[in-house]
Amino acid sequence: MAARTYILCPGQGAQAVGMGKDLYESFAVAREVFDRAKQILDWDLASICFNGPEERLNQTDVSQPAIFVASVASFRAALDAGVIDATAIAAYAGLSLGEYTALHLAGVFGFEEGVKLVAARGRHMQQAAVASPSGMVAVLGADEEAVATLCRDAAGGEVLVPANINAPGQIIVSGSSGACGRALAAAEAAGFKAVALKVAGAFHSPLMQPAADRMQAELDRVTFASPTTLVYSNVTASPHTSADSKGRFVELCPGRSLAGLAKRINRRMPIDSAATAESIAQLKQN
């Protein structure tokens, strides 16, 4: 009997030039995913994923559909290779954007609808980011109380809020460009490490409210099905229904960002990767 499997879907920030290229070259099912995305979007997503430029890939209107499509392609490739048993999948979970991938894989909406939704989400968030210069900063080594204090002290009358509690000792703050600059300096002065993230704007902050309002209209037109498999929520960190989380974890393309966060929570948690053709081949050998 195959081990219970949990599928982890990366979010924005995991993108890298070249992602999905070897999957495209090695698996017909992955090629079909990228080629279908090109038809839906009417522009060549694969070319930007495989060849860049990095500056364009990092723009949220590109990176969101790019990560969604790359993740779906790696999932299909892993199924095709037999390293994931569809009947053994216990639940899906995704970081931010990755929850859209998780919901698609769980049957809540189809691939075309998913591509259109994440592309719209990216456009609306890009517009909000351009309208209000902003960013995000990873604060390492601080707890939630310390980060909340840092945000209050560094805001300087601008927006600066804790946005993502990724793992113990890693919290992301989000806000106006000036406030993020002050947060970098304040965090270092307090003895913490701080890193500015390669993102287009202050995601998960009040500066994204215009994007949220526009996205609501996009979501209102979609008919959602009930998930065929459990999906864990970003908001509650709990499944939409009860679940037993013992089993095997597999992270999809791109990268190993979620495995890194999980290790901060539980160093003994084994997480396989299906991000590349090579990693899928290694899983097949095991």
Side-chain angles (χ1 to χ4, degrees), residues 82-93:
V83 299
I84 294 177
D85 181 348
T87 65
I89 296 174
Y92 299 90

Side-chain angles (χ1 to χ4, degrees), residues 169-247:
Q170 185 180 125
I171 299 175
I172 311 300
V173 302
S174 183
S176 304
S177 294
C180 284
R182 291 189 292 274
L184 282 166
E188 297 287 354
F192 307 125
K193 183 178 179 180
V195 180
L197 301 186
K198 294 180 180 180
V199 293
F203 306 142
H204 303 289
S205 84
L207 294 176
M208 288 293 114
Q209 190 59 49
D213 294 340
R214 297 187 190 105
M215 196 62 201
Q216 186 62 59
E218 304 282 354
L219 295 170
D220 286 344
R221 66 174 177 78
V222 178
T223 299
F224 298 106
S226 297
T228 58
T229 310
L230 293 175
V231 177
Y232 279 76
S233 166
N234 270 243
V235 175
T236 65
S238 298
H240 294 293
T241 55
S242 61
D244 175 6
S245 61
K246 295 179 180 178

Side-chain angles (χ1 to χ4, degrees), residues 61-236:
D61 60 327
V62 172
S63 61
Q64 293 204 37
I67 291 169
F68 176 85
V69 170
S71 293
V72 173
S74 73
F75 178 76
R76 305 295 180 211
L79 284 178
D80 186 65
V83 299
I84 294 177
D85 181 348
T87 65
I89 296 174
Y92 299 90
L95 175 65
S96 188
L97 164 72
E99 189 162 343
Y100 280 79
T101 314
L103 290 167
H104 161 62
L105 297 180
V108 174
F109 46 78
F111 179 70
E112 181 172 351
E113 199 66 75
V115 171
K116 290 178 177 178
L117 282 173
V118 298
R121 186 176 187 262
R123 286 195 306 273
H124 298 324
M125 292 173 69
Q126 184 70 31
Q127 290 168 1
V130 170
S132 182
S134 53
M136 303 179 80
V137 174
V139 181
L140 309 177
D143 59 21
E144 293 180 47
E145 183 178 355
V147 171
T149 299
L150 183 150
C151 286
R152 287 194 298 270
D153 293 345
E158 297 183 298
V159 172
L160 187 67
V161 296
N164 301 93
I165 303 171
N166 282 345
Q170 185 180 125
I171 299 175
I172 311 300
V173 302
S174 183
S176 304
S177 294
C180 284
R182 291 189 292 274
L184 282 166
E188 297 287 354
F192 307 125
K193 183 178 179 180
V195 180
L197 301 186
K198 294 180 180 180
V199 293
F203 306 142
H204 303 289
S205 84
L207 294 176
M208 288 293 114
Q209 190 59 49
D213 294 340
R214 297 187 190 105
M215 196 62 201
Q216 186 62 59
E218 304 282 354
L219 295 170
D220 286 344
R221 66 174 177 78
V222 178
T223 299
F224 298 106
S226 297
T228 58
T229 310
L230 293 175
V231 177
Y232 279 76
S233 166
N234 270 243
V235 175
T236 65

